[in-house]
């Protein structure tokens, strides 16, 4: 009998870590892209998407979205999920949108997103084809002085600050996010986030999570003493939709 290479199980996430020589074959490689689009009054635009998934969050204004034969209207602080091409039309007041797209790396080679002037952030994401995932978009609101104690998440995601100021420390590196600033969190890296002491702070985010997290928080506190401390931040969930991951 041939010995099989050992596999290490990450007890925090429940995922299996493969030996290095198997990792490349096992994982499917994606990019999670974030765009910011500003539409003038009654502007109409079409966004193609041959492969992957898209979430549109309305920072301001109102839009009509048409895709796969259906249309819907969305106002400020709401989100839409879809696949394939969509046509977006702004209302009389125009609109400001944040648009996340999860796209296979191979598809990126056929459509160069790096030249899009509206691209705010792009990050590589490795996903397991045998895992079942969902795509979530939500909003986090902190009162002045709010803290997200040192924590991890069950999956990767890109955030973008709506208002206030947020000091984010990941692996001893600190950034200060201000309105419009994006940042990426891999998931397993411990993160400490401290909101402005003088103003309300909010951000919107899109994450890729195992489906076992449907309807529940993806956060896990690193320090046991933080688990029972008061948590002042509030969450609003807009989108939570299943996605299918193809073998790479």
């Amino acid at each position: 009998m041939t010995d099989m290479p050992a596999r290490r199980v990450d007890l925090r996430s429940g995922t299996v870590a493969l030996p290095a020589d198997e990792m490349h074959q096992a994982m499917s490689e994606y990019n999670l892209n974030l765009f910011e689009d500003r539409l003038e009054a009654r502007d109409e635009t079409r966004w193609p998407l041959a492969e992957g998934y898209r979430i549109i969050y309305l920072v301001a204004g109102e839009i009509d979205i048409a895709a796969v034969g259906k249309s819907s209207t969305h106002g400020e602080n709401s989100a839409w999920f879809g696949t394939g091409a969509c046509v977006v039309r702004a209302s009389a007041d125009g609109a400001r949108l944040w648009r996340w797209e999860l796209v296979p790396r191979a598809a990126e080679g056929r459509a160069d997103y790096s030249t899009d002037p509206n691209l705010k952030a792009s990050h590589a994401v490795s996903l397991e084809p045998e895992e079942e995932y969902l795509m979530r978009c939500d909003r986090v609101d902190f009162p002045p002085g709010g803290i997200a104690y040192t924590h991890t998440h069950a999956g990767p995601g890109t955030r973008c600050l709506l208002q206030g100021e947020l000091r984010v420390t990941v692996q001893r590196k600190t950034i200060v996010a201000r309105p419009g600033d994006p940042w990426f969190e891999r998931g397993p890296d411990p993160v400490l986030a401290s909101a402005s002491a003088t103003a309300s702070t909010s951000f919107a985010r899109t994450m890729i999570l195992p489906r076992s997290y449907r309807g529940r928080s993806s956060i896990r506190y690193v320090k046991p003493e933080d688990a029972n401390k008061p948590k002042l931040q509030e969450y609003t969930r807009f989108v939570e939709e299943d996605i299918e991951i193809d073998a790479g």
Side-chain angles (χ1 to χ4, degrees), residues 42-54:
R42 307 199 186 285
D43 272 359
E44 183 173 292
T45 187
R46 181 183 185 274
W47 289 311
L49 188 66
E51 301 175 63
Y53 301 89
R54 171 185 286 132

Side-chain angles (χ1 to χ4, degrees), residues 5 8 17 34 59 68 77-78 81 94 105 162 191 194 229 236 247:
R8 178 174 56 83
L34 171 60
V59 180
V68 294
N77 195 40
S78 67
F81 170 89
R105 195 82 51 81
L162 286 159
V191 177
S194 303
K229 290 180 179 178
T236 305

Side-chain angles (χ1 to χ4, degrees), residues 2 5 37 44 52 70 72 76 87 105 116 127 141 143 150 163 174 179 204 218 228 230-232 239 242:
T2 302
D37 304 292
E44 183 173 292
K70 299 180 180 179
S72 55
E76 182 174 324
V87 176
R105 195 82 51 81
D116 190 325
L127 301 173
D141 289 275
T150 305
Q163 62 177 353
T174 299
S218 67
N228 294 321
K231 311 298 188 301
L232 303 180
V239 166
D242 292 350

Side-chain angles (χ1 to χ4, degrees), residues 23-226:
M23 185 65 74
H24 179 72
Q25 295 180 355
M27 304 300 281
S28 293
E29 304 301 327
Y30 283 73
N31 275 2
L32 182 59
N33 299 324
L34 171 60
F35 304 85
E36 178 166 353
D37 304 292
R38 294 176 182 265
L39 304 181
E40 299 297 330
R42 307 199 186 285
D43 272 359
E44 183 173 292
T45 187
R46 181 183 185 274
W47 289 311
L49 188 66
E51 301 175 63
Y53 301 89
R54 171 185 286 132
I55 285 176
I56 296 174
Y57 173 80
L58 269 291
V59 180
E62 182 177 286
I63 57 172
D64 293 325
I65 303 178
V68 294
K70 299 180 180 179
S71 62
S72 55
T73 300
H74 297 266
E76 182 174 324
N77 195 40
S78 67
W80 174 90
F81 170 89
T83 61
C86 69
V87 176
V88 174
R89 187 173 189 270
S91 69
D93 295 325
R96 180 184 174 202
L97 324 173
W98 289 342
R99 172 169 48 102
W100 284 267
E101 294 180 356
L102 181 69
V103 182
R105 195 82 51 81
E108 290 242 318
R110 296 187 290 272
D112 186 6
Y113 294 93
S114 64
T115 60
D116 190 325
N118 295 337
L119 181 67
K120 289 178 72 72
S122 179
H123 294 277
V125 174
S126 297
L127 301 173
E128 297 181 28
E130 295 182 357
E131 177 66 85
E132 294 185 323
Y133 291 97
L134 58 81
M135 200 168 176
R136 175 186 294 173
C137 178
D138 63 358
R139 171 176 169 152
V140 184
D141 289 275
F142 293 88
I147 299 175
Y149 297 101
T150 305
H151 62 278
T152 61
H153 283 282
T158 303
R159 288 86 169 142
C160 199
L161 203 74
L162 286 159
Q163 62 177 353
E165 184 175 283
L166 194 66
R167 186 179 182 88
V168 182
T169 300
V170 184
Q171 294 185 326
R172 299 181 182 179
K173 181 180 179 181
T174 299
I175 65 164
V176 178
R178 296 180 174 86
D181 288 345
W183 73 97
F184 178 78
E185 296 179 16
R186 287 196 322 119
D189 300 329
V191 177
L192 172 65
S194 303
S196 166
T198 58
S200 297
T201 296
S202 307
F203 65 84
R205 65 184 173 188
T206 287
M207 295 189 291
I208 313 302
L209 301 170
R211 291 183 195 173
S212 58
Y213 283 86
R214 183 185 309 281
R216 64 189 182 98
S217 175
S218 67
I219 200 169
R220 182 184 180 94
Y221 292 100
V222 173
K223 301 176 182 179
E225 61 267 29
D226 288 340

